[in-house]
Amino acid sequence: MRAIIFDFFGTLSDPSAEADRLGTFAVTAAALGVPADRFSAVMAEHFPRRATGVYGGTRDTLLAMARACGVEPAPERLAAALRSHRAGAEIVRRPRPEALGVLDRLRGHGYVLGLLSDCSSELCEAWPETPYAPRIDAPVFSWREGRLKPDPRLYATVADRLGVPPGECWFVGDGGGREHDGARRAGMRPVLITNDAYPEVRHLRTNPDSYLPPDRLPDLTGLPALLGHA
Ligand SMILES: [Mg+2]
C-alpha cells in the first residue's frame, strides 16, 4: 500500500466544527439581509449543486443563494457577506487535534497522500492557504470535478494524480456520501473514522454510508498503527 486518500469534513477537519456551521451561516445571512433559517435551508437544499460547481465561486454562489431567498443584495452587502462567509468557512475547516501530526507521520513513512472531498467553493478557493495543502499531494474537490461521491471517476482521478493504482490506496473517511462503498468499488481499502467522541454532530453527516468497512478507528490517532507503523 503506497497511498492514503482522506475525506475532508469530519475526517481531517475537527468533527465538532460541524456544530459551528449553522452559526457561521447565520452571520453570512445577516450580512446578506436574509433570515438565517431561510438561508441555511437554501444552502442545504442547494448543496449538491453548490458542491459540483453549478453556481461558480463563493461570491457568485452567495448571490445565487440570496436570490433563492428572494433578495437581491447590493454589491457592498454581497462583499461583506463574502468576507463573513470566508471567515466562517475557516472556522469550520479547522483541523482535528491530531490531524496534521498524523499526516506528517504518514508522509515520513513514505506514503503519498490524497484528498477526496465533497465540498463547495469555499474549501477549494482557500486550499492553498490552509495547513493541509503542503501535506496533501493530490487534492480532488467535487466542486472542481463536477461530481459527488461515490462517483467512481473521483476515486480514479485521485489515484491517477497520485500515480498509484487504486489497489494500493487506503481510503480514510467518516462515512458521509457513501464514500466507503465508493472506495471499495474502486478497489481501495476503506477505513472508517467513527468519531465516537463526537456523538453530538453525528446527525449532521449527509448521505451516510450503509457499507461499514471492517477497519474502524475512533479518530486518526491509531491510523499509523493500523497501517503497520506502531
Ligand atoms: Mg466527511
Side-chain angles (χ1 to χ4, degrees):
M1 303 296 274
R2 294 160 50 203
I4 309 161
I5 297 156
F6 291 90
D7 165 55
F8 185 75
F9 289 104
T11 299
L12 293 180
S13 75
D14 188 333
S16 65
E18 290 299 317
D20 299 332
R21 192 183 291 273
L22 283 182
T24 71
F25 280 8
V27 175
T28 305
L32 284 171
V34 300
D37 54 351
R38 175 74 180 132
F39 181 73
S40 292
V42 163
M43 287 288 275
E45 176 193 339
H46 290 254
F47 177 75
R49 277 160 281 169
R50 291 192 293 116
T52 48
V54 170
Y55 303 115
T58 303
R59 184 187 181 280
D60 290 341
T61 299
L62 290 179
L63 180 58
M65 296 303 99
R67 287 173 174 165
C69 293
V71 168
E72 183 70 29
E76 59 273 22
R77 287 205 88 131
L78 183 59
L82 182 61
R83 287 193 296 275
S84 299
H85 196 68
R86 284 180 169 156
E90 186 174 357
I91 292 170
V92 174
R93 69 171 175 262
R94 67 177 179 260
R96 64 190 304 150
E98 74 277 21
L100 301 180
V102 168
L103 293 178
D104 289 341
R105 274 193 69 190
L106 295 171
R107 291 180 68 84
H109 287 300
Y111 292 97
V112 288
L113 306 183
L115 181 91
L116 186 48
S117 177
D118 281 355
C119 64
S120 45
S121 54
E122 300 90 333
L123 181 65
C124 197
E125 290 173 355
W127 185 259
E129 307 150 24
T130 69
Y132 308 101
R135 295 171 165 92
I136 297 289
D137 301 287
V140 172
F141 306 98
S142 65
W143 178 77
R144 188 169 281 159
E145 302 300 319
R147 44 185 65 104
L148 295 168
K149 298 173 200 170
D151 190 310
R153 290 169 289 187
L154 289 174
Y155 298 87
T157 295
V158 68
D160 185 56
R161 290 185 193 163
L162 289 168
V164 176
E168 295 176 35
C169 297
W170 295 90
F171 179 87
V172 180
D174 69 328
R178 293 187 284 133
E179 61 191 358
H180 291 122
D181 194 44
R184 174 180 62 164
R185 289 170 186 272
M188 298 178 180
R189 186 162 168 186
V191 178
L192 171 64
I193 303 301
T194 60
N195 287 332
D196 288 343
Y198 306 89
E200 71 282 6
V201 293
R202 187 161 301 151
H203 68 286
L204 298 174
R205 188 189 304 154
T206 57
N207 194 11
D209 210 326
S210 54
Y211 166 66
L212 286 178
D215 290 312
R216 299 172 205 169
L217 294 169
D219 54 43
L220 294 179
T221 310
L223 187 60
L226 178 74
L227 273 49
H229 308 283

